[in-house]
Amino acid sequence: MKVKKYLWAVLPLALTLAGCKSGGAEDTTKPVYLDTTKDIEERVEDALQRMTLTEKINVIHAQSKFSSAGVKRLGLPDFWTDDGPHGVRPDVLWDEWEQAGQTNDSCVAFPALTCLAATWNPDLSRLYGHSLGEEALYRNKNMILGPGVNIYRTPLGGRNFEYLGEDPYLSSRMVVPYVQGMQALGVASCVKHYCLNNDEEYRHQVNVIVSDRALHEIYLPAFEAAVKEGHAWGIMGAYNLYKDQHNCHNQYTLNQILKTDWGFDGVVVSDWGGTHDLDQAVKNGLDMEFGTWTDGLTMGATNAYENYYLSRQYERAINEGQYGTEELDDKVRRVLRLFFRTNMNKERPYGALCSDAHYEAAQQIAQEGIVLLRNEGNVLPIDISNAKRILVVGENAIKMMTVGGGSSSLKAQHEISPLQGLQDRLGGSVEVDYARGYVGDVGGNYNGVTTGQDLNDSRSPEELIAEAVEKAAGADYVVIFGGLNKSDYQDCEGHDRKTMDLPYNQDDLIVALAQANPKTIYVNISGNAVTMPWKDQVPAIVQGWFIGSEAGRALASVLVGDVNPSGKLPFTWPKSLQEVGAHALDAFPGVWREGTGIIDEEYKEGIYVGYRWADKNQTNPTFAFGHGLSYTTFEINNLRADKKATTDGNISFTVNVTNTGDREGSEVVQLYISDVECSVERPVKELKAFQKVKLAAGESRDVTLSINGRALSFWDEESNDWKAEAGEFKALVGNASDNLPCEVSFTLK
Ligand code: GLC
């Protein structure tokens, strides 16, 4: 009896091994139990050689809006992706963009990534990826479609709020821990939008023309770091074209740079609707096709997915001998590897949704990312003990920001508004009054997720300003929450902004209030820089970002001084578009190519993006890259290098940082490298190291920053590789790109 029982236990395994031995000529009508004890690469080969052609084709294209097929016969489940970079998107219907109407898919809305970048704290990036990964696990999402790491090339870029700013080094350091934190849980990151997707309006038609130097020195480093250091398991191709090939199937960016030069072993996923050609999809590096509107099936139909390029068309082409299976097997290996790393990963934990830990993480990231831009007369922090009435003004004090903005829109379990945050924090001790101030976008719906807010207000701008000004008189403080709001043209996917100015008549409101009350504070809620013609009339200015579920709590804690702000700008804040290379050279959005539907966008400014342009042209921006104030003060001095000359670029620099104020605070020590003598033109300086350090009042500490040869290199278009030229270099150290008091020279031998 005993023997018989065990027989049944080993039989499937025996059959499997037998099948395996027979080279895959197994009965493909019977379920197969794959050996899960092998390592991933063995499991990939084992599964691959068992799969039929149809099964192989099925796993490389979508079967619904956000899922692709597994292989039931082999016990490989369907594969689920979901947006987005700062929270797990609510479920949509199988084949629709509309909500599925679930009641268990509300999430924590984490701060948008410009806020994460503004923390300059890679540890928070890891916490971010880990927390979002846990939410994804709980929702059984195998791959998160994020983070986005496209470079902030113009303040008009519609999706800059989703990205990590203008500097390739800062973006690189901040994306790696996010990917590692998430993938440690068995949830894939799908780093996007690879590459050169720096504006939205014509994102499906833009053909970017850019120098190899700018491509490698500015636009690729964050993706390169995500792949080489973060070991990202997914990369999303971008909609736009480069060298006339769509980036979802591009010989140059995918086959050559990503897969050959960088050794990427993961999966290239198309952006939704980014696949346009069968032959290119087969040969130019695309591995999973999602969201294609094949045959004009824009919103899907019962057999839409079978019409995809990498579906039956591809299978027919193979059966007709147009293609072998070499390209197919490479795609399928990558997809199987993704399966075994994620939903077939035996070590995956269960995850958690809306946990206290996630709210704590969201709040901490928000608090550390808020940037104190200006604080004349130390108006901030608000002195609660001496305040009786505070007037809060602005639509952004009450408007929910977690809904909208495009595919990163969320169904947040809660979102604390700035007004609510201040009311909760100030409680009965201080009266918190409110005035609308302006009416912006009263909508509140995205893909069927509604904010439930009725923001309608029929009053005229004049009436709204008059009410606010009247209430401002006699208030101890006026706190204005304005900015943008992720509605169309106001920091939103699919459109770029039309102007850098604040919308909805806010400038007039801000000027009127600053005149009515000397303690006026302006908090800008946006993912992009805006013009501030009134900057010198407003004593305190704060950049509040789009910071998600805990927004009001985080903002209130900084404004009243519970938290000492430590954020630094991840992008330059120009006075006007004319201070931005893309606009000064009339290189945005581009020139339509007659009769092709393609718009050629030449990045004429080359490597001179952000502060690199500001330095070259001495534009004296409103606020500089890396700028951010504190409620205490710091001194950075005594810079010394561990050597005068280096042969391989390895060199360390130590500075002393002292908190010279009367309260604890954090400072971000920034190190920029200047190549004093070089055969090619280079920026005045470039960020190559940074470290955030927390110091008690009066505390002093040495901070050491190390760099290597890559930090001294430029992309050499002759050798098509990185090159550091011997000669003199300078290290400039300080706490902002326009405040680098320490300098030391050294030589590269
Ligand atoms: C969108 C976005 C991309 C998103 C995808 C799925 O068009 O470009 O970021 O992940 O489609 O919603």
Side-chain angles (χ1 to χ4, degrees):
M1 194 53 182
K2 225 174 180 161
V3 170
K4 238 184 190 171
K5 187 179 78 175
Y6 282 126
L7 196 59
W8 287 115
V10 297
L11 188 59
L13 188 59
L15 283 179
T16 305
L17 293 177
C20 169
K21 286 221 176 15
S22 66
E26 65 199 9
D27 173 356
T28 57
T29 62
K30 292 271 185 303
V32 170
Y33 300 91
L34 296 180
D35 179 351
T36 61
T37 62
K38 300 179 175 176
D39 70 36
I40 284 188
E41 291 312 311
E42 287 178 288
R43 294 171 72 183
V44 166
E45 294 310 318
D46 177 31
L48 179 73
Q49 57 98 20
R50 294 173 185 280
M51 289 166 75
T52 65
L53 175 61
T54 299
E55 288 168 340
K56 290 180 180 178
I57 292 287
N58 287 347
V59 302
I60 62 171
H61 65 84
Q63 65 176 358
S64 76
K65 273 287 173 272
F66 285 99
S67 78
S68 53
V71 185
K72 290 179 179 51
R73 183 176 65 85
L74 301 179
L76 300 178
D78 289 352
F79 183 80
W80 282 89
T81 69
D82 210 359
D83 289 314
H86 44 255
V88 184
R89 181 175 183 159
D91 290 328
V92 296
L93 293 170
W94 180 261
D95 189 27
E96 304 293 338
W97 288 113
E98 285 309 298
Q99 283 306 294
Q102 314 285 36
T103 56
N104 64 352
D105 60 354
S106 296
C107 70
V108 172
F110 294 92
L113 266 62
T114 30
C115 177
L116 175 62
T119 68
W120 290 58
N121 184 344
D123 293 341
L124 288 185
S125 267
R126 188 175 302 279
L127 174 65
Y128 196 120
H130 173 83
S131 307
L132 180 53
E134 285 188 328
E135 299 250 325
L137 274 175
Y138 190 89
R139 293 271 305 282
N140 190 30
K141 308 302 180 186
N142 308 123
M143 177 154 76
I144 284 290
L145 303 169
V149 293
N150 293 102
I151 289 293
Y152 180 118
R153 174 176 179 246
T154 157
L156 304 188
R159 294 183 82 170
N160 283 337
F161 73 94
E162 288 188 50
Y163 305 149
L164 293 168
E166 75 185 24
D167 182 78
Y169 181 79
L170 176 63
S171 301
S172 302
R173 292 309 98 216
M174 298 303 284
V175 68
V176 169
Y178 176 119
V179 171
Q180 292 173 335
M182 180 177 288
Q183 297 189 163
L185 297 169
V187 177
S189 288
C190 188
V191 184
K192 64 188 187 183
H193 305 82
Y194 182 77
C195 55
L196 299 164
N197 183 179
N198 304 97
D199 45 71
E200 288 295 300
E201 207 60 48
Y202 309 104
R203 58 182 178 164
H204 296 274
Q205 297 130 300
V206 162
N207 176 54
V208 172
I209 299 166
V210 64
S211 69
D212 285 351
R213 279 199 68 190
L215 176 66
H216 287 275
E217 293 184 29
I218 304 295
Y219 297 102
L220 289 182
F223 290 103
E224 181 182 6
V227 167
K228 287 183 172 176
E229 297 173 60
H231 303 298
W233 295 337
I235 286 280
M236 184 188 290
Y239 285 129
N240 60 286
L241 297 88
Y242 170 67
K243 294 193 174 183
D244 277 346
Q245 289 185 4
H246 280 95
N247 271 330
C248 290
H249 33 71
N250 188 303
Q251 167 64 21
Y252 310 99
T253 55
L254 296 176
N255 282 354
Q256 186 56 48
I257 296 174
L258 179 70
K259 292 185 175 182
T260 304
D261 298 349
W262 295 349
F264 176 66
D265 71 354
V267 166
V268 172
V269 178
S270 72
D271 200 340
W272 268 237
T275 311
H276 300 273
D277 177 277
L278 171 62
D279 196 48
Q280 288 195 25
V282 171
K283 294 175 178 171
N284 289 359
L286 177 61
D287 301 309
M288 287 178 105
E289 177 185 358
F290 273 85
T292 297
W293 299 301
T294 311
D295 292 351
L297 302 172
T298 52
M299 296 306 283
T302 48
N303 71 339
Y305 303 100
E306 295 296 285
N307 290 329
Y308 276 24
Y309 297 100
L310 294 184
S311 181
R312 301 292 70 93
Q313 291 182 54
Y314 185 22
E315 187 170 12
R316 269 195 306 278
I318 290 174
N319 285 330
E320 289 159 7
Q322 188 179 342
Y323 300 105
T325 58
E326 185 193 349
E327 297 92 348
L328 174 63
D329 286 350
D330 179 59
K331 299 178 201 298
V332 176
R333 276 195 182 87
R334 292 170 182 274
V335 173
L336 287 169
R337 194 171 293 134
L338 185 59
F339 288 175
F340 294 127
R341 285 169 164 169
T342 58
N343 59 3
M344 293 293 287
N345 171 340
K346 303 186 294 292
E347 276 80 49
R348 270 196 326 166
Y350 185 67
L353 191 66
C354 300
S355 65
D356 291 350
H358 295 172
Y359 281 114
E360 177 53 38
Q363 184 174 339
Q364 189 184 352
I365 293 156
Q367 287 169 336
E368 277 211 34
I370 289 167
V371 184
L372 178 58
L373 293 173
R374 177 177 160 84
N375 191 17
E376 287 306 300
N378 293 330
V379 168
L380 284 174
I382 289 170
D383 179 1
I384 303 177
S385 54
N386 288 322
K388 292 186 180 36
R389 187 167 74 86
I390 289 176
L391 175 66
V392 174
V393 182
E395 183 174 282
N396 280 2
I398 58 173
K399 178 178 174 62
M400 279 183 73
M401 292 291 176
T402 53
V403 174
S407 57
S408 63
S409 177
L410 296 171
K411 179 164 80 173
Q413 185 187 50
H414 72 246
E415 178 184 349
I416 297 172
S417 70
L419 175 62
Q420 185 187 335
L422 280 168
Q423 286 168 332
D424 294 348
R425 174 63 183 82
L426 296 175
S429 61
V430 181
E431 182 201 345
V432 178
D433 198 357
Y434 176 69
R436 181 68 174 268
Y438 70 92
V439 174
D441 175 71
V442 298
N445 181 326
Y446 184 81
N447 271 174
V449 174
T450 60
T451 61
Q453 293 185 303
D454 177 2
L455 299 177
N456 287 300
D457 189 322
S458 57
R459 289 178 290 172
S460 71
E462 293 69 29
E463 287 170 317
L464 289 160
I465 291 178
E467 177 204 34
V469 167
E470 186 193 349
K471 287 189 171 185
D476 295 292
Y477 293 89
V478 174
V479 188
I480 307 166
F481 292 93
L484 309 176
N485 54 24
K486 292 169 54 174
S487 58
D488 281 352
Y489 304 99
Q490 305 301 344
D491 280 0
C492 180
E493 176 178 341
H495 294 291
D496 297 314
R497 293 168 63 207
K498 292 177 174 170
T499 166
M500 198 184 146
D501 299 337
L502 280 173
Y504 317 130
N505 195 44
Q506 292 179 71
D507 287 340
D508 293 346
L509 171 69
I510 294 165
V511 168
L513 287 169
Q515 286 164 353
N517 191 305
K519 290 194 175 180
T520 292
I521 299 146
Y522 174 68
V523 181
N524 188 62
I525 307 294
S526 78
N528 263 313
V530 296
T531 54
M532 294 183 169
W534 33 260
K535 176 202 132 191
D536 296 329
Q537 300 165 53
V538 177
I541 301 173
V542 174
Q543 174 62 10
W545 309 115
F546 297 119
I547 49 181
S549 291
E550 295 297 280
R553 225 193 296 275
L555 284 164
S557 67
V558 168
L559 291 171
V560 304
D562 296 340
V563 167
N564 189 355
S566 60
K568 301 280 182 181
L569 286 179
F571 51 72
T572 304
W573 202 290
K575 293 192 290 299
S576 75
L577 290 179
Q578 281 318 303
E579 293 187 359
V580 178
H583 299 272
L585 301 180
D586 191 23
F588 170 89
V591 178
W592 287 101
R593 202 187 301 172
E594 277 306 304
T596 64
I598 287 179
I599 180 168
D600 287 312
E601 184 169 6
E602 185 182 355
Y603 287 11
K604 295 175 184 169
E605 75 280 6
I607 58 177
Y608 297 101
V609 173
Y611 66 87
R612 291 168 168 84
W613 178 271
D615 288 345
K616 179 181 164 93
N617 298 282
Q618 285 153 11
T619 58
N620 185 27
T622 305
F623 301 109
F625 172 80
H627 168 76
L629 303 177
S630 169
Y631 292 147
T632 183
T633 50
F634 296 94
E635 201 166 294
I636 296 176
N637 57 30
N638 192 13
L639 170 64
R640 62 267 189 204
D642 69 346
K643 56 185 74 126
K644 288 299 287 174
T646 168
T647 52
D648 55 8
N650 293 331
I651 185 168
S652 294
F653 305 92
T654 301
V655 278
N656 185 268
V657 188
T658 303
N659 179 341
T660 50
D662 56 8
R663 63 172 291 172
E664 180 184 82
S666 295
E667 181 59 287
V668 179
V669 181
Q670 302 163 36
L671 180 142
Y672 297 77
I673 292 294
S674 175
D675 188 349
V676 177
E677 48 186 313
C678 187
S679 63
V680 296
E681 196 186 312
R682 297 192 70 178
V684 168
K685 62 179 185 283
E686 297 179 285
L687 179 73
K688 295 298 178 184
F690 63 86
Q691 186 176 324
K692 190 166 204 174
V693 59
K694 180 185 283 189
L695 298 171
E699 184 184 357
S700 193
R701 193 183 307 166
D702 274 354
V703 172
T704 296
L705 300 170
S706 302
I707 62 168
N708 58 21
R710 175 72 179 264
L712 306 181
S713 304
F714 61 89
W715 181 263
D716 177 34
E717 295 184 338
E718 302 305 317
S719 62
N720 211 26
D721 198 354
W722 293 99
K723 181 178 183 185
E725 282 183 353
E728 188 192 354
F729 286 83
K730 275 187 190 156
L732 313 169
V733 178
N735 68 352
S737 64
D738 66 345
N739 184 34
L740 302 168
C742 304
E743 185 178 305
V744 67
S745 296
F746 63 96
T747 305
L748 173 65
K749 292 285 186 209

CSV table of all heavy atoms in Angstrom, one decimal, residues 65-66 82-85 89 97 145-146 159 162-163 192-193 197 200 203-204 236 239 270-273 293 407-408 493, ligand 1:
chain,number,residue,atom,x,y,z
A,65,LYS,N,-6.0,44.7,-21.0
A,65,LYS,CA,-5.4,46.0,-20.9
A,65,LYS,C,-4.1,45.9,-20.2
A,65,LYS,O,-3.1,46.6,-20.5
A,65,LYS,CB,-6.3,46.9,-20.1
A,65,LYS,CG,-7.3,47.6,-21.1
A,65,LYS,CD,-6.7,48.7,-21.9
A,65,LYS,CE,-7.6,49.3,-22.9
A,65,LYS,NZ,-7.6,48.5,-24.2
A,66,PHE,N,-4.0,45.1,-19.1
A,66,PHE,CA,-2.8,45.1,-18.3
A,66,PHE,C,-2.2,43.7,-18.0
A,66,PHE,O,-1.4,43.6,-17.1
A,66,PHE,CB,-3.0,45.8,-17.0
A,66,PHE,CG,-3.1,47.3,-17.1
A,66,PHE,CD1,-4.3,48.0,-17.2
A,66,PHE,CD2,-1.9,48.1,-17.2
A,66,PHE,CE1,-4.4,49.4,-17.4
A,66,PHE,CE2,-2.0,49.5,-17.4
A,66,PHE,CZ,-3.2,50.1,-17.5
A,82,ASP,N,0.9,46.7,-13.9
A,82,ASP,CA,0.0,47.9,-13.5
A,82,ASP,C,0.8,49.1,-13.4
A,82,ASP,O,2.0,49.1,-13.0
A,82,ASP,CB,-0.8,47.6,-12.2
A,82,ASP,CG,-2.1,48.3,-12.3
A,82,ASP,OD1,-2.4,49.0,-13.3
A,82,ASP,OD2,-2.9,48.1,-11.3
A,83,ASP,N,0.2,50.2,-13.7
A,83,ASP,CA,0.7,51.5,-13.3
A,83,ASP,C,0.7,51.7,-11.8
A,83,ASP,O,0.0,50.9,-11.2
A,83,ASP,CB,-0.1,52.7,-14.0
A,83,ASP,CG,0.1,52.7,-15.5
A,83,ASP,OD1,1.2,52.6,-16.0
A,83,ASP,OD2,-0.9,52.7,-16.2
A,84,GLY,N,1.5,52.6,-11.3
A,84,GLY,CA,2.4,53.5,-11.9
A,84,GLY,C,3.5,53.8,-11.0
A,84,GLY,O,3.6,53.2,-9.9
A,85,PRO,N,4.2,54.8,-11.3
A,85,PRO,CA,5.4,55.1,-10.5
A,85,PRO,C,5.2,55.6,-9.1
A,85,PRO,O,6.1,55.4,-8.3
A,85,PRO,CB,6.1,56.3,-11.3
A,85,PRO,CG,5.0,56.8,-12.1
A,85,PRO,CD,4.0,55.7,-12.4
A,89,ARG,N,-2.2,51.5,-9.5
A,89,ARG,CA,-3.4,52.0,-10.2
A,89,ARG,C,-4.6,51.1,-9.8
A,89,ARG,O,-4.5,49.9,-9.7
A,89,ARG,CB,-3.2,51.9,-11.7
A,89,ARG,CG,-4.3,52.4,-12.6
A,89,ARG,CD,-3.9,52.4,-14.0
A,89,ARG,NE,-4.9,53.0,-14.9
A,89,ARG,CZ,-4.7,53.5,-16.1
A,89,ARG,NH1,-3.4,53.5,-16.6
A,89,ARG,NH2,-5.6,53.9,-16.9
A,97,TRP,N,-10.5,50.9,-20.5
A,97,TRP,CA,-9.7,51.8,-19.6
A,97,TRP,C,-10.6,52.2,-18.4
A,97,TRP,O,-10.1,52.8,-17.4
A,97,TRP,CB,-9.4,53.1,-20.4
A,97,TRP,CG,-8.3,52.9,-21.4
A,97,TRP,CD1,-8.4,53.0,-22.7
A,97,TRP,CD2,-6.9,52.5,-21.1
A,97,TRP,NE1,-7.2,52.7,-23.3
A,97,TRP,CE2,-6.3,52.4,-22.4
A,97,TRP,CE3,-6.2,52.3,-19.9
A,97,TRP,CZ2,-4.9,52.1,-22.5
A,97,TRP,CZ3,-4.9,51.9,-20.0
A,97,TRP,CH2,-4.2,51.9,-21.3
A,145,LEU,N,4.7,49.5,-13.7
A,145,LEU,CA,5.1,50.3,-14.9
A,145,LEU,C,5.7,51.6,-14.4
A,145,LEU,O,5.0,52.7,-14.4
A,145,LEU,CB,3.9,50.5,-15.8
A,145,LEU,CG,3.3,49.2,-16.3
A,145,LEU,CD1,2.0,49.4,-17.0
A,145,LEU,CD2,4.3,48.4,-17.2
A,146,GLY,N,6.9,51.5,-13.9
A,146,GLY,CA,7.6,52.7,-13.4
A,146,GLY,C,8.9,52.2,-12.8
A,146,GLY,O,9.1,51.0,-12.6
A,159,ARG,N,5.0,65.5,-18.3
A,159,ARG,CA,5.1,64.5,-17.3
A,159,ARG,C,6.4,64.6,-16.4
A,159,ARG,O,6.7,63.7,-15.7
A,159,ARG,CB,5.2,63.1,-18.0
A,159,ARG,CG,3.9,62.7,-18.7
A,159,ARG,CD,4.0,61.4,-19.3
A,159,ARG,NE,3.7,60.3,-18.3
A,159,ARG,CZ,3.5,59.0,-18.7
A,159,ARG,NH1,3.7,58.7,-19.9
A,159,ARG,NH2,3.2,58.1,-17.8
A,162,GLU,N,6.4,63.2,-12.9
A,162,GLU,CA,6.6,61.8,-12.7
A,162,GLU,C,8.1,61.4,-12.7
A,162,GLU,O,8.4,60.2,-12.4
A,162,GLU,CB,5.9,61.0,-13.8
A,162,GLU,CG,4.4,61.0,-13.8
A,162,GLU,CD,3.9,60.0,-14.8
A,162,GLU,OE1,4.3,58.8,-14.9
A,162,GLU,OE2,3.1,60.4,-15.6
A,163,TYR,N,9.0,62.3,-13.0
A,163,TYR,CA,10.4,62.0,-13.2
A,163,TYR,C,11.3,62.5,-12.1
A,163,TYR,O,10.8,63.2,-11.2
A,163,TYR,CB,10.8,62.4,-14.6
A,163,TYR,CG,10.0,61.9,-15.7
A,163,TYR,CD1,9.8,62.7,-16.9
A,163,TYR,CD2,9.4,60.7,-15.7
A,163,TYR,CE1,9.1,62.3,-18.0
A,163,TYR,CE2,8.6,60.3,-16.8
A,163,TYR,CZ,8.5,61.0,-17.9
A,163,TYR,OH,7.7,60.6,-19.0
A,192,LYS,N,10.9,53.6,-17.3
A,192,LYS,CA,10.4,54.1,-18.5
A,192,LYS,C,10.7,55.6,-18.6
A,192,LYS,O,11.2,56.2,-17.6
A,192,LYS,CB,8.8,53.9,-18.5
A,192,LYS,CG,8.1,54.7,-17.4
A,192,LYS,CD,6.6,54.2,-17.4
A,192,LYS,CE,5.8,55.0,-16.4
A,192,LYS,NZ,4.4,54.6,-16.3
A,193,HIS,N,10.5,56.3,-19.8
A,193,HIS,CA,10.1,55.7,-21.1
A,193,HIS,C,11.4,55.8,-21.9
A,193,HIS,O,11.8,56.9,-22.2
A,193,HIS,CB,9.0,56.6,-21.7
A,193,HIS,CG,7.8,56.7,-20.8
A,193,HIS,ND1,7.7,57.7,-19.8
A,193,HIS,CD2,6.6,56.1,-20.7
A,193,HIS,CE1,6.6,57.6,-19.2
A,193,HIS,NE2,5.9,56.6,-19.7
A,197,ASN,N,12.0,60.6,-24.3
A,197,ASN,CA,10.6,61.0,-24.2
A,197,ASN,C,10.5,62.2,-23.3
A,197,ASN,O,10.0,62.0,-22.2
A,197,ASN,CB,9.8,59.8,-23.8
A,197,ASN,CG,8.3,60.0,-23.8
A,197,ASN,OD1,7.5,59.1,-23.4
A,197,ASN,ND2,7.8,61.2,-24.1
A,200,GLU,N,5.4,65.8,-24.3
A,200,GLU,CA,4.2,64.9,-24.4
A,200,GLU,C,3.3,65.2,-25.6
A,200,GLU,O,2.7,64.3,-26.2
A,200,GLU,CB,3.3,65.2,-23.2
A,200,GLU,CG,3.9,64.5,-21.9
A,200,GLU,CD,3.9,63.0,-22.0
A,200,GLU,OE1,2.9,62.4,-22.2
A,200,GLU,OE2,5.1,62.5,-22.0
A,203,ARG,N,4.0,63.1,-28.6
A,203,ARG,CA,4.9,62.0,-28.2
A,203,ARG,C,4.9,60.8,-29.1
A,203,ARG,O,5.9,60.1,-29.2
A,203,ARG,CB,4.6,61.6,-26.8
A,203,ARG,CG,3.1,61.1,-26.6
A,203,ARG,CD,2.9,60.7,-25.1
A,203,ARG,NE,1.5,60.3,-24.9
A,203,ARG,CZ,1.1,59.6,-23.9
A,203,ARG,NH1,2.0,59.3,-22.9
A,203,ARG,NH2,-0.1,59.2,-23.7
A,204,HIS,N,3.8,60.6,-29.9
A,204,HIS,CA,3.8,59.5,-30.8
A,204,HIS,C,4.5,59.8,-32.1
A,204,HIS,O,4.8,58.9,-32.9
A,204,HIS,CB,2.3,59.1,-31.1
A,204,HIS,CG,1.6,58.6,-29.9
A,204,HIS,ND1,1.6,57.3,-29.5
A,204,HIS,CD2,0.8,59.2,-29.0
A,204,HIS,CE1,0.9,57.1,-28.4
A,204,HIS,NE2,0.4,58.3,-28.1
A,236,MET,N,10.5,50.0,-20.4
A,236,MET,CA,9.4,50.3,-21.3
A,236,MET,C,9.9,51.2,-22.4
A,236,MET,O,10.5,52.2,-22.2
A,236,MET,CB,8.3,51.0,-20.6
A,236,MET,CG,7.1,51.3,-21.5
A,236,MET,SD,5.8,52.3,-20.7
A,236,MET,CE,5.1,51.2,-19.5
A,239,TYR,N,7.2,56.1,-26.7
A,239,TYR,CA,6.4,56.3,-28.0
A,239,TYR,C,7.2,56.9,-29.1
A,239,TYR,O,7.1,56.6,-30.3
A,239,TYR,CB,5.3,57.2,-27.7
A,239,TYR,CG,4.1,56.6,-26.9
A,239,TYR,CD1,3.7,57.3,-25.7
A,239,TYR,CD2,3.5,55.5,-27.3
A,239,TYR,CE1,2.6,56.7,-25.0
A,239,TYR,CE2,2.5,54.9,-26.6
A,239,TYR,CZ,2.0,55.6,-25.4
A,239,TYR,OH,1.0,55.0,-24.7
A,270,SER,N,6.5,47.3,-24.7
A,270,SER,CA,6.1,48.5,-25.5
A,270,SER,C,5.3,49.4,-24.6
A,270,SER,O,4.6,49.0,-23.6
A,270,SER,CB,5.2,48.1,-26.7
A,270,SER,OG,3.9,47.8,-26.2
A,271,ASP,N,5.3,50.7,-24.8
A,271,ASP,CA,4.3,51.6,-24.2
A,271,ASP,C,3.0,51.2,-24.9
A,271,ASP,O,3.0,50.6,-26.0
A,271,ASP,CB,4.7,53.1,-24.4
A,271,ASP,CG,4.0,53.9,-23.4
A,271,ASP,OD1,3.0,53.5,-22.8
A,271,ASP,OD2,4.4,55.1,-23.1
A,272,TRP,N,1.9,51.6,-24.3
A,272,TRP,CA,0.6,51.2,-24.8
A,272,TRP,C,0.3,51.9,-26.1
A,272,TRP,O,0.0,53.1,-26.1
A,272,TRP,CB,-0.4,51.5,-23.7
A,272,TRP,CG,-0.6,50.3,-22.7
A,272,TRP,CD1,-1.8,49.7,-22.5
A,272,TRP,CD2,0.3,49.6,-21.9
A,272,TRP,NE1,-1.7,48.7,-21.5
A,272,TRP,CE2,-0.3,48.6,-21.2
A,272,TRP,CE3,1.7,49.8,-21.8
A,272,TRP,CZ2,0.3,47.8,-20.3
A,272,TRP,CZ3,2.4,48.9,-20.9
A,272,TRP,CH2,1.7,47.9,-20.2
A,273,GLY,N,0.3,51.1,-27.1
A,273,GLY,CA,0.1,51.7,-28.4
A,273,GLY,C,1.4,52.1,-29.1
A,273,GLY,O,1.4,52.8,-30.1
A,293,TRP,N,-3.2,49.5,-30.8
A,293,TRP,CA,-4.5,49.7,-31.4
A,293,TRP,C,-4.4,49.1,-32.9
A,293,TRP,O,-4.4,49.8,-33.8
A,293,TRP,CB,-4.8,51.1,-31.4
A,293,TRP,CG,-4.9,51.7,-30.0
A,293,TRP,CD1,-5.7,51.2,-29.0
A,293,TRP,CD2,-4.0,52.7,-29.5
A,293,TRP,NE1,-5.4,51.9,-27.9
A,293,TRP,CE2,-4.4,52.8,-28.1
A,293,TRP,CE3,-3.0,53.4,-29.9
A,293,TRP,CZ2,-3.8,53.7,-27.2
A,293,TRP,CZ3,-2.4,54.3,-29.1
A,293,TRP,CH2,-2.8,54.5,-27.7
A,407,SER,N,-1.8,58.3,-16.8
A,407,SER,CA,-1.8,56.9,-16.4
A,407,SER,C,-1.3,56.8,-14.9
A,407,SER,O,-1.5,55.7,-14.3
A,407,SER,CB,-0.9,56.1,-17.3
A,407,SER,OG,0.4,56.7,-17.3
A,408,SER,N,-0.7,57.8,-14.3
A,408,SER,CA,-0.3,57.7,-12.9
A,408,SER,C,-1.4,58.1,-11.9
A,408,SER,O,-1.1,58.1,-10.7
A,408,SER,CB,1.0,58.5,-12.7
A,408,SER,OG,0.6,59.9,-12.9
A,493,GLU,N,0.0,64.0,-18.4
A,493,GLU,CA,0.4,63.1,-19.5
A,493,GLU,C,-0.4,63.5,-20.7
A,493,GLU,O,-1.6,63.8,-20.7
A,493,GLU,CB,0.1,61.7,-19.1
A,493,GLU,CG,0.4,60.7,-20.3
A,493,GLU,CD,0.2,59.3,-19.9
A,493,GLU,OE1,0.2,59.0,-18.6
A,493,GLU,OE2,0.0,58.4,-20.7
B,1,GLC,C1,0.6,55.3,-21.0
B,1,GLC,C2,1.9,55.8,-20.5
B,1,GLC,C3,2.7,54.8,-19.8
B,1,GLC,C4,1.8,53.9,-19.0
B,1,GLC,C5,1.0,53.1,-20.1
B,1,GLC,C6,-0.1,52.2,-19.4
B,1,GLC,O1,0.4,55.8,-22.3
B,1,GLC,O2,2.8,56.4,-21.5
B,1,GLC,O3,3.6,55.5,-18.9
B,1,GLC,O4,2.5,53.0,-18.2
B,1,GLC,O5,0.4,53.9,-21.1
B,1,GLC,O6,-1.1,53.0,-18.8
